[in-house]
Amino acid sequence: MRIARIAAVLIFTAAALPAFAAAPDKDDEIVVTGQKDIEQQIESFVSALTPGSPRSQISRYERALCPRALGFTDAQRATVEARMRMVAEGIGLEVAPADCGPNLLIIVTPDKAGFLAGLRRDHGFMFGDRSPGEMRKIFAQRGAATAWQVEGKLNADGKPVMFEQGIPVNRTTNSPSRITAAARPYISGAVVVIDSRALEGFTTTQIADYAMMRGLARIDPEKLGTTAAPTILRALDAPGDAEVPLTLTQWDFAFLKGLYSGADNLYAPSQRAEIRRAMEGDVGGKQDSGDKSPDKSRS
C-alpha cells in the first residue's frame, strides 16, 4: 500500500467533513501515572495488548514516523500532529521531517460507519491485502474508534523481503532459531478512524495520545477486559461521568517504550518478556499520581 496515495485520497475525502472542535488543552507535556504492586497486572496488560501465537511476531514501525490528522480545524490539526511527534520522540522513534509522506493517519468523522463503508467501496486498497475474514474483523471493531495497520516484511538484515513471481524470497545470511526469526513483519502504515460524536469534551492531547496507542501497535481495547491498569485506551468509550486520563498514562508510555526498544527478529513471547521488563522498571512500585479528570466534559 502506498501511503502517499492514501494521504491524497483521505485529504480529498476529509475536505468534505465538518471540522471537529476539541476541548482546549491545559498543556502539551507527556504526563504519566503509575500504580504500585503491579507485577501480575503488568503481565495481564501486556498479554491483552499483544495477542498472538508463540511463533508469531509483534510488528512495529521501522521507518521514520510521519503522522497526519484529518477532520480537524487547521489549528487543531497542527496541535494533534505536534503532539503525536512529541510522543514518538519520547518513546525513541525516529520522526520524519514536516514535508514527509504520512504513514500514520488519524481521521475524525461524524459518521464512522458510513466513512468506513465508503472507504471500502471506493478505495479498498486503503486496507492493504486482506482476506474477507480479516476485513470483517476490522469492521466488527466496536466503540468510538476503528484502527488497522498495513504490514510489510523485512528480512533479518532489515531489508524488504522481495517477491519473485508472487513468491516471497528471503535472502539473508542470518539463520532462524528458537529465539530469533529470519524475517519479521513491520508496520508500513496505520489508520485510526474516530467518530467525532464520542469526542465531546476531549482535548487534542487525549485524542492524539489515544491515536498513538492504537496506531503504533495492533491493539484492541476490548481485550483489556477487567484489567485494572490505567490506560488512555478506555477513555473514548468510558461512561460520561467516568474518570479518564488526561494523557498517556505511565502504563501506556512504558508499554510503547518497551515495545519499541526491544531487539529485532524476536518471536512474540520474547518480545512480551522485554516489554514486561521495561514496564516493571518504569511502572513497578510507583503510586498513581492522580492525573485524571472526573469526567469527559472539561471544555
Side-chain angles (χ1 to χ4, degrees):
M1 180 180 66
R2 296 183 181 277
I3 297 300
R5 183 183 174 195
I6 289 173
V9 169
L10 289 182
I11 290 171
F12 174 79
T13 304
L17 299 176
F20 167 73
D25 285 305
K26 294 182 179 180
D27 54 57
D28 62 354
E29 294 181 357
I30 298 176
V31 183
V32 291
T33 60
Q35 182 177 337
K36 68 177 182 179
D37 192 22
I38 40 71
E39 185 174 331
Q40 187 168 355
Q41 291 182 42
I42 288 175
E43 183 172 357
S44 298
F45 185 69
V46 173
S47 296
L49 298 187
T50 57
S53 67
R55 302 302 287 179
S56 66
Q57 295 167 282
I58 304 167
S59 56
R60 310 178 292 186
Y61 275 90
E62 301 209 21
R63 301 290 185 268
L65 190 74
C66 180
R68 182 66 52 85
L70 302 171
F72 297 85
T73 65
D74 288 344
Q76 290 166 345
R77 175 192 56 76
T79 302
V80 169
E81 291 177 5
R83 173 67 183 189
M84 296 172 78
R85 288 172 171 272
M86 180 182 179
V87 171
E89 290 174 349
I91 65 173
L93 264 176
E94 181 184 356
V95 179
D99 59 350
C100 57
N103 55 14
L104 174 51
L105 301 167
I106 170 175
I107 306 151
V108 172
T109 170
D111 181 10
K112 179 172 73 83
F115 182 87
L116 290 171
L119 201 63
R120 183 179 189 180
R121 180 186 63 247
D122 301 329
H123 308 289
F125 71 91
M126 289 282 300
F127 297 91
D129 297 325
R130 280 186 154 85
S131 67
E134 291 172 328
M135 289 296 295
R136 284 193 294 271
K137 288 182 180 179
I138 290 176
F139 279 77
Q141 292 181 35
R142 296 184 294 181
T146 296
W148 66 93
Q149 285 79 21
V150 176
E151 297 181 349
K153 209 166 193 63
L154 301 175
N155 65 23
D157 303 314
K159 298 178 180 179
V161 172
M162 306 304 292
F163 284 79
E164 295 181 3
Q165 297 181 343
I167 300 174
V169 178
N170 183 10
R171 294 187 174 91
T172 178
T173 56
N174 291 10
S175 300
S177 70
R178 294 182 179 180
I179 299 176
T180 61
R184 64 182 182 270
Y186 75 100
I187 300 174
S188 61
V191 182
V192 183
V193 180
I194 304 177
D195 196 319
S196 61
R197 294 172 294 182
L199 293 178
E200 181 179 354
F202 280 94
T203 67
T204 52
T205 293
Q206 290 170 302
I207 298 167
D209 286 2
Y210 179 89
M212 288 295 280
M213 283 294 289
R214 294 297 305 272
L216 293 183
R218 186 182 293 179
I219 287 173
D220 181 359
E222 289 192 350
K223 300 292 185 183
L224 289 169
T226 58
T227 302
T231 173
I232 194 73
L233 289 169
R234 289 197 178 96
L236 297 193
D237 297 306
D241 59 349
E243 290 186 348
V244 296
L246 296 177
T247 69
L248 288 171
T249 68
Q250 179 81 29
W251 290 65
D252 297 328
F253 194 66
F255 171 83
L256 291 177
K257 283 180 64 180
L259 173 61
Y260 278 89
S261 64
D264 296 331
N265 302 323
L266 296 178
Y267 289 110
S270 297
Q271 289 178 290
R272 293 189 193 101
E274 289 203 347
I275 296 171
R276 287 195 299 269
R277 282 193 291 270
M279 290 190 67
E280 287 167 4
D282 286 349
V283 179
K286 295 183 180 179
Q287 280 280 46
D288 193 301
S289 69
D291 181 40
K292 294 182 180 179
S293 171
D295 58 57
K296 294 188 287 187
S297 299
R298 290 179 291 276
S299 55

